[in-house]
């Protein structure tokens, strides 16, 4: 059996299938953790809500050809309103869109490349292992981690404690997110006692903007050195 065939037949795959979560409700404090404030003001002369960074009451500025004026930086959501964020693909690039919703009324407050906001958020919270593994973003994000030379992957019942613990934790996170696909090929240790492995993990991109989930994924990835 050649190496390619061994990898194909013996890589362990655990998946929670369906469509990756594209939309998630967030609290106002999470918007602040992404680096933005919710403000009430004027957008091209019309009173509305929008999200902005580093502005205060009385500030006026232009962005993407639109004129903005900040009347008030809000410390709590307007009554009966909720913040929803979702991922939308535009010409092959993932964008984070954030809406303020009140019943059936919907006010878009933010639209920026998801990668820019996500990387800044992950760096702020020092989720280094997650940043290191992140490869690309769509409605799902691709996480990749590997070390050492490839070989014949070990079956599940021969895995040592570290990869077993990772799979246990990762499957719990996957269940919490409602979507995911983990592919792990564990080849044992090299002569220096370091693990040899190849790991690919797909998770919903929007879930990475949740601090608790991002922290759990970062901690799980830290199992492998």
């Amino acid at each position: 059996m050649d190496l390619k065939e061994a990898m194909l037949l013996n890589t362990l795959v655990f998946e929670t299938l369906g469509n990756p979560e594209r939309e998630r409700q967030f609290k106002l404090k999470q918007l602040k953790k992404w680096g933005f404030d919710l403000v009430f003001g004027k957008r091209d002369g019309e009173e509305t809500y929008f999200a902005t960074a580093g502005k205060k009451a009385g500030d006026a500025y232009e962005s993407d050809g639109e004129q903005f004026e900040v009347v008030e930086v809000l410390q709590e959501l307007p009554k009966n309103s909720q913040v929803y964020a979702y991922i939308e693909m535009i010409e092959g690039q993932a964008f984070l869109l954030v809406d303020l919703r009140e019943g059936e009324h919907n006010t878009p407050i933010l639209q920026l490349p998801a990668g820019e906001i996500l990387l800044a958020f992950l760096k702020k919270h020092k989720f280094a292992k997650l940043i290191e593994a992140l490869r690309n973003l769509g409605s799902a994000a691709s996480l990749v981690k590997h070390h050492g030379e490839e070989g014949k992957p070990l079956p599940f019942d021969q895995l040592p404690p570290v990869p077993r613990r990772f799979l246990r934790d990762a499957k719990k996170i996957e269940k919490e997110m409602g979507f995911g696909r983990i592919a792990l090929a564990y080849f044992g240790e090299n002569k220096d006692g370091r693990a040899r492995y190849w790991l690919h993990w797909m998770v919903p991109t929007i879930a990475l903007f949740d601090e608790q989930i991002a922290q759990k994924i970062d901690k799980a990835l830290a199992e492998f050195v």
Side-chain angles (χ1 to χ4, degrees):
M1 183 183 298
D2 62 24
L3 183 57
K4 182 177 180 180
E5 185 177 349
M7 284 283 288
L8 174 65
L9 297 180
N10 296 285
T11 295
L12 302 172
V13 176
F14 299 88
E15 54 191 10
T16 301
L17 296 179
N19 293 321
E21 179 186 20
R22 297 177 64 91
E23 178 179 277
R24 180 175 284 242
Q25 183 179 353
F26 290 95
K27 295 181 179 180
L28 181 60
K29 65 179 181 180
Q30 191 66 43
L31 185 66
K32 291 180 177 293
K33 288 182 179 181
W34 300 339
F36 298 92
D37 290 311
L38 176 64
V39 307
F40 174 75
K42 294 181 179 180
R43 183 174 189 169
D44 283 343
E46 294 187 9
E47 291 187 342
T48 188
Y49 297 97
F50 51 91
T52 189
K55 304 297 182 183
K56 61 183 184 299
D59 285 350
Y61 63 97
E62 180 180 343
S63 178
D64 294 330
E66 293 183 298
Q67 300 294 327
F68 293 86
E69 180 182 342
V70 178
V71 175
E72 180 185 2
V73 177
L74 302 179
Q75 300 306 316
E76 58 183 27
L77 290 175
K79 188 176 180 180
N80 299 324
S81 296
Q82 298 169 326
V83 173
Y84 280 85
Y86 55 100
I87 298 297
E88 184 170 307
M89 301 302 297
I90 302 175
E91 295 183 346
Q93 185 176 12
F95 279 77
L96 178 71
L97 280 69
V98 185
D99 294 343
L100 184 66
R101 298 180 186 173
E102 181 181 354
E104 296 182 357
H105 184 68
N106 185 64
T107 303
I109 62 173
L110 183 68
Q111 178 178 318
L112 285 173
E116 293 180 11
I117 303 175
L118 181 60
L119 284 176
F121 169 64
L122 297 177
K123 288 176 181 177
K124 178 180 179 180
H125 292 282
K126 299 180 180 180
F127 295 146
K129 299 301 181 183
L130 178 47
I131 294 171
E132 181 183 285
L134 198 57
R135 288 295 181 272
N136 54 68
L137 298 176
S139 56
S142 180
L143 309 176
V144 177
K145 192 167 185 177
H146 58 84
H147 180 262
E149 294 184 359
E150 295 181 358
K152 180 180 178 181
L154 297 180
F156 183 83
D157 59 4
Q158 293 181 25
L159 293 178
V162 168
R164 279 178 177 267
R165 186 164 54 246
F166 166 79
L167 289 173
R168 180 195 64 207
D169 294 342
K171 287 190 290 182
K172 286 180 180 178
I173 299 168
E174 191 175 272
K175 184 177 181 180
E176 181 179 353
M177 296 184 298
F179 171 87
R181 187 180 193 276
I182 307 160
L184 173 66
Y186 188 85
F187 313 116
E189 297 181 346
N190 61 20
K191 61 181 180 180
D192 297 320
R194 293 193 62 190
R196 298 182 299 124
Y197 60 87
W198 178 90
L199 166 68
H200 182 211
W201 192 3
M202 291 189 68
V203 301
T205 296
I206 194 64
L208 297 179
F209 288 88
D210 185 310
E211 183 182 354
Q212 291 185 342
I213 289 180
Q215 184 177 40
K216 290 177 182 179
I217 292 175
D218 186 75
K219 184 177 180 180
L221 291 170
E223 297 281 1
F224 285 113
V225 295

